[in-house]
Amino acid sequence: MYTIKDDLTATLQEIRDAGLWKAERELTSPQQAHITTTKAQAINFCANNYLGLADHPDVRDAASAALQEWGFGMASVRFICGTQELHTRLEASISDFLQREETILYSSCFDANGGVFEVLFGEGDAIISDALNHASLIDGIRLSKASRYRYANADMDDLRLQLEAAQGARRTVIVTDGVFSMDGYLAPLEQICDLAEEYGAMVLVDDSHAVGFVGDGGRGTPEACGVMDRVDLITGTLGKALGGASGGYVTGPAEVVALLRQRSRPYLFSNAVAPVVAAGSLKAIEIARDADDGRAALRRNTSMFRELMTEAGFDLLPGTHPITPVMFPGEDGARQAAQIADVMLEHGVYVIAFSYPVVPQGQARIRVQLSAAHSEEDVRTCVRAFIAARSEVLGTD
Ligand SMILES: Cc1ncc(COP(=O)(O)O)c(C=O)c1O
């Protein structure tokens, strides 16, 4: 007799056999530069805690105070009885930081990306999307009835071809991650904006891996690329540099945000962000705005790590973003990267290996993520652990 249990057991085994099983390590500490897991103490080089705000004392204090003042839950969507002054202030603070007219909060950036396209782009419109965009953009775009076009990652010739193909559409939007999270590469926003202007298209950037720390003032890839006033819509997360709890947003023209409040399904049919999270995120943004020292520390740590690893003969993808992929190319690369990551944990350094299908075949890597919370000694320890693990696994110095 058919049972779903047997059927799924077979599927689960296939995932294990293919080496694609994602096991979860339980942390027994807060999310910090130094963490403990049930098995080890380690320096953490795989969180999105770029500015070290996930466990910042002021963020914790703001969240605890909010728990007392505003309670634990909202038990409502925003438009029924789920909007507190905190939510309005958080939206205003994001608009002000990112220099946009208005902002709408979602429970996550996954929801923001899931809720934005269907409302703004329908039949007769065109959405042109980078091939390496985040899964949530891909899913959100699928929900829209607009025609869909895809261009090869950051390939401006291909983007032009797709813009040509989309001509005649009522509204056209180019959609890109600000930073591609497996490579740490920034999208070429200046060229994207040039093409958008030439073809009368809008630009939407998901800046989840940039907001708070990329750009001199931490305003993300539009700032870093000098196109703050040429990007139409920005989506982003509160779940990485900006406190790392949860929540996402769309920020842009007031009319866009007003329409999203009326029609965007993940906003209309999902609970309001919890007060504790709203208050902690507000504080995190306040800190991030003034975090020139934190951004400088992050840049220092990143360039020191890149220099020391290059000196030690590792193969890194080029760049300046704190996402630093250490490459293990070739047929055996996936196994090598996984084993090296395991051995590094024994040396007190927590990193994660990524292989196909998360990254292209033959391009396995360990993705190191630096944080402003790392000390210089933490970074040196990480490099030493890489060298020791390479020698143990590959027998090379
Ligand atoms: C580019 C990008 N967009 C969206 C998300 C989803 O963000 P959230 O965790 O807020 O749902 C992520 C997180 O992995 C991301 O990297």
Side-chain angles (χ1 to χ4, degrees):
M1 193 187 67
Y2 176 88
T3 71
I4 189 149
K5 267 177 150 320
D6 292 342
D7 207 4
L8 297 191
T9 303
T11 307
L12 293 169
Q13 194 54 45
E14 279 167 27
I15 299 174
R16 282 198 181 87
D17 292 346
L20 300 176
W21 191 259
K22 292 181 241 356
E24 294 178 11
R25 287 201 174 98
E26 250 178 49
L27 304 195
T28 52
S29 68
Q31 185 64 279
Q32 298 163 327
H34 291 244
I35 52 169
T36 56
T37 72
T38 44
K39 294 208 177 109
Q41 283 197 335
I43 313 173
N44 188 0
F45 282 93
C46 52
N48 303 307
N49 190 17
Y50 297 109
L51 290 174
L53 299 184
D55 192 43
H56 190 287
D58 295 351
V59 174
R60 286 172 74 131
D61 286 350
S64 333
L67 184 61
Q68 300 312 318
E69 188 176 354
W70 295 98
F72 175 64
M74 287 313 302
S76 171
V77 299
R78 288 282 301 276
F79 82 93
I80 298 181
C81 53
T83 299
Q84 289 173 330
E85 184 205 326
L86 277 177
H87 298 97
T88 318
R89 276 173 46 209
L90 178 54
E91 287 170 340
S93 143
I94 295 169
S95 308
D96 190 51
F97 181 39
L98 298 180
Q99 301 171 0
R100 310 286 119 180
E101 285 178 13
E102 295 276 350
T103 298
I104 174 171
L105 272 181
Y106 289 82
S107 301
S108 67
C109 186
F110 208 105
D111 276 350
N113 289 339
V116 65
F117 296 102
E118 189 188 10
V119 176
L120 300 179
F121 307 98
E123 260 170 52
D125 298 331
I127 303 178
I128 307 183
S129 173
D130 188 289
L132 287 193
N133 276 345
H134 190 260
S136 53
L137 289 170
I138 295 170
D139 288 3
I141 291 169
R142 277 197 195 126
L143 292 173
S144 150
K145 293 200 172 65
S147 300
R148 303 195 289 260
Y149 302 82
R150 200 164 72 138
Y151 63 99
N153 177 229
D155 181 332
M156 295 299 99
D157 293 333
D158 196 16
L159 174 56
R160 181 184 286 281
L161 286 178
Q162 303 310 317
L163 283 160
E164 286 285 340
Q167 276 203 340
R170 179 187 62 151
R171 293 179 191 154
T172 301
V173 63
I174 303 169
V175 180
T176 183
D177 281 8
V179 174
F180 296 97
S181 64
M182 284 298 137
D183 299 330
Y185 292 156
L186 269 59
L189 287 188
E190 194 181 353
Q191 291 149 278
I192 289 175
C193 289
D194 287 348
L195 281 170
E197 276 155 30
E198 193 179 328
Y199 285 87
M202 288 180 264
V203 176
L204 180 149
V205 177
D206 173 346
D207 226 14
S208 292
H209 276 287
V211 67
F213 61 98
V214 169
D216 287 344
R219 294 185 174 80
T221 55
E223 184 184 35
C225 299
V227 293
M228 278 299 275
D229 52 359
R230 297 172 72 198
V231 167
D232 300 277
L233 292 165
I234 301 174
T235 68
T237 186
L238 303 172
K240 300 190 196 293
L242 300 180
S246 62
Y249 54 84
V250 177
T251 187
E255 296 75 9
V256 166
V257 169
L259 190 64
L260 291 172
R261 286 195 204 282
Q262 299 307 311
R263 298 229 173 116
S264 183
R265 291 161 70 84
Y267 182 79
L268 289 174
F269 298 105
S270 186
N271 205 27
V273 170
V276 166
V277 171
S281 303
L282 250 174
K283 179 52 78 177
I285 292 170
E286 191 187 311
I287 298 171
R289 287 185 77 122
D290 289 334
D292 287 347
D293 291 350
R295 284 184 280 276
L298 181 56
R299 274 195 293 276
R300 255 196 327 275
N301 285 342
T302 303
S303 56
M304 183 167 97
F305 179 73
R306 284 177 177 271
E307 267 169 42
L308 293 175
M309 288 291 284
T310 307
E311 263 171 38
F314 285 94
D315 175 12
L316 308 185
L317 290 188
T320 54
H321 193 275
I323 289 176
T324 309
V326 182
M327 303 302 286
F328 295 89
E331 255 178 42
D332 204 24
R335 186 193 58 79
Q336 292 173 355
Q339 284 185 0
I340 287 178
D342 284 347
V343 172
M344 285 178 68
L345 192 58
E346 290 163 21
H347 289 267
V349 170
Y350 189 6
V351 288
I352 291 282
F354 291 91
S355 53
Y356 182 79
V358 180
V359 293
Q361 195 81 262
Q363 295 184 29
R365 64 199 65 185
I366 292 175
R367 182 180 74 169
V368 175
Q369 290 174 281
L370 283 304
S371 166
H374 291 133
S375 67
E376 193 180 312
E377 188 47 29
D378 291 340
V379 177
R380 290 186 188 281
T381 304
C382 181
V383 176
R384 280 196 297 269
F386 261 106
I387 295 171
R390 176 177 61 184
S391 144
E392 276 179 52
V393 173
L394 305 181
T396 52
D397 287 332

